[in-house]
Amino acid sequence: MNLISTLLNNLNYPTIFLLMLLESTVVPVPSELVVAPAAYHAAGGHLNVLLVVLFATIGADVGASINYFVALYVGRPIIYRFANSRWGKMCLLNQEKIEKSERYFDQHGIVATLTGRLIPGIRHLISLPAGLARMNYWKFLLYTTIGAGCWHAILAAMGWYLHAVVPEEQLEETIKQYNHYIVAAILVLVVLAAAYFIIKHKLNKKRL
């Protein structure tokens, strides 16, 4: 965790990529404390905000792909064993969290890889049930990119806005406060998106 703290204090494009890669596997890296501060510094002229979102999203894609292929090739028993192990607990994992992500995937189908990227507690694990279900990889990657890109764009917009109203020493605490409102808004969007896809799917079935 000292390495992660060091990286968080020295944000640049490679560290953004690496931290978001880790966040999309099983390492508990809070994306809001990476992308939002990076965008904050971009507003001050130190980084390019579009590249912040791009590198964060590419990192998320790589990390999610690692999870996908691990699940695809090692299977559920080994994943559960790791989640329940000492190493899994160090990564804040347990079997219940894995099962929760699987239930979400089962309920929402392949669209879960898009909407799941926006939900705390599901975001970094949704790629595991996609791999277990042998979802088409390119479709998985497309939905992951869209979901991760939307999430990072939201965080970047928050960081950019905060640059004008919050001094840097108060940034982390303010991000944590704003994050609650963002999560609530995103959950509403996820419900609306899920309803849209369900209705669209039913209408397509009726036409057939």
Side-chain angles (χ1 to χ4, degrees):
M1 295 305 291
N2 288 335
L3 172 62
I4 291 175
S5 297
T6 301
L7 291 172
L8 285 171
N9 291 325
N10 297 277
L11 287 176
N12 53 41
Y13 302 125
T15 59
I16 292 166
F17 167 84
L18 177 60
L19 288 168
M20 290 302 89
L21 184 157
L22 294 174
E23 192 256 357
S24 286
T25 54
V26 294
V27 181
V29 179
S31 55
E32 61 271 18
L33 296 183
V34 177
V35 179
Y40 183 96
H41 293 305
H46 303 293
L47 295 168
N48 182 298
V49 71
L50 295 179
L51 290 179
V52 168
V53 174
L54 177 63
F55 276 88
T57 302
I58 294 173
D61 281 346
V62 174
S65 294
I66 291 171
N67 271 10
Y68 172 91
F69 285 113
V70 166
L72 181 68
Y73 290 113
V74 308
R76 187 175 284 104
I78 294 177
I79 289 174
Y80 282 179
R81 197 177 309 154
F82 173 78
N84 292 324
S85 70
R86 182 165 62 94
W87 290 103
K89 287 180 172 57
M90 287 176 62
C91 294
L92 305 181
L93 280 181
N94 56 49
Q95 185 172 327
E96 184 181 351
K97 288 184 178 179
I98 305 293
E99 289 175 341
K100 181 180 178 181
S101 68
E102 287 193 82
R103 286 194 298 271
Y104 184 85
F105 185 87
D106 290 340
Q107 290 167 3
H108 298 87
I110 58 176
V111 177
T113 56
L114 191 162
T115 58
R117 294 294 313 183
L118 303 172
I119 300 177
I122 295 288
R123 182 165 55 246
H124 66 301
L125 298 177
I126 197 63
S127 47
L128 292 174
L132 292 172
R134 298 184 174 275
M135 177 182 175
N136 177 276
Y137 173 71
W138 297 111
K139 189 173 287 187
F140 161 80
L141 185 61
L142 173 63
Y143 285 177
T144 297
T145 302
I146 295 171
C150 289
W151 173 242
H152 295 146
I154 291 168
L155 293 178
M158 176 174 68
W160 186 277
Y161 164 73
L162 290 177
H163 184 268
V165 296
V166 174
E168 188 168 358
E169 60 270 17
Q170 297 176 17
L171 179 61
E172 183 176 337
E173 188 60 36
T174 306
I175 287 171
K176 290 177 181 177
Q177 291 173 359
Y178 272 68
N179 194 49
H180 297 301
Y181 299 107
I182 290 175
V183 168
I186 283 175
L187 288 176
V188 172
L189 290 175
V190 167
V191 170
L192 292 174
Y196 167 78
F197 283 110
I198 290 170
I199 293 170
K200 184 179 178 182
H201 179 69
K202 289 184 177 180
L203 289 175
N204 288 337
K205 269 190 171 182
K206 285 183 179 180
R207 287 171 189 163
L208 296 174

